[in-house]
Amino acid sequence: MINFTLLKKEFKSNISILITFMSILSMYGIVMISMFDPKLGESLKLMSENMPEMFALFGMNNFSSNLMDFLINYLYSFLLIVLPLVFIIILVHRLIIKYIDRGIIVYLLATPNSRIKIISTQILNGILEIFLLNIYITILYIIVSEAMFKGELDIIKLIIVNIGLFSLWFAFLGICFLSSVIFNSSSVSLWAGSGFCIISILLQMISRVGDKAEIFQYFSLITLFSPSKYSTDFNLFLLGTISLFVIGIITYIIKIFIFNKRDIYV
């Protein structure tokens, strides 16, 4: 149930944004990999002792002489969550909210395509974009790590952690897509879903500050993505990844159902 003409058109329309975010994540990734130095961990540890709350806030308080753990600490705890969320918000606006807000969706519905085919095509387009972004950073980080620090990177761990990262993006996309069809107001439909994701990030950050604040992690979606648990409790990491995929799938199904029943013409 996919309209490949629409899929191709939307992909071409959004390719420049995808390339932009690929470039941004490339820059941060290459810089962080180049900064890796087992001896640097000791210096950073001393800095964190002077500013423990600040380092904990961004999840950068776990120091390791291992390259993959270094990347988890400095990339996967914040940057690879926040920046892709911005990309997802832009995507949802361009794929759904813009069409409904400007009334263009009426012309799409006038074509010999069912509502389910149209919305499924837009969902697939969003999934394809974040999948390509995930594949890109996976390959890039492996190449750069091997070029700079040959043999230091646990490649299998990187790949599996990035699958977990993709599950988080997948859930983000589903939540933002869902809110885009629930509300009539374009501003509300954009910020309801994205606001939920942003609040989840903030709650996760607050939960890291101290023992008394740990309770906030139980109200955050981000808690389900725990790359630091890969080595210490892989079953927990796996359960979180599966849960995020399930959340994403459920939101997509609900979105299709609502869009199919919604009165678009009001």
Side-chain angles (χ1 to χ4, degrees), residues 153-188:
L153 181 69
D154 186 337
I155 296 177
I156 300 300
K157 184 175 181 178
L158 175 72
I159 293 172
I160 296 176
V161 166
N162 275 1
I163 292 173
L165 181 65
F166 176 74
S167 72
L168 179 63
W169 298 355
F170 186 79
F172 277 164
L173 185 67
I175 291 167
C176 291
F177 263 139
L178 179 58
S179 75
S180 71
V181 298
I182 290 179
F183 304 99
N184 290 324
S185 169
S186 59
S187 58
V188 175

Side-chain angles (χ1 to χ4, degrees), residues 200-218:
S200 289
I201 293 173
L202 294 175
L203 289 174
Q204 184 68 11
M205 292 172 67
I206 293 171
S207 71
R208 295 166 176 161
V209 174
D211 294 338
K212 294 182 179 179
E214 284 185 358
I215 190 173
F216 287 104
Q217 68 179 310
Y218 300 109

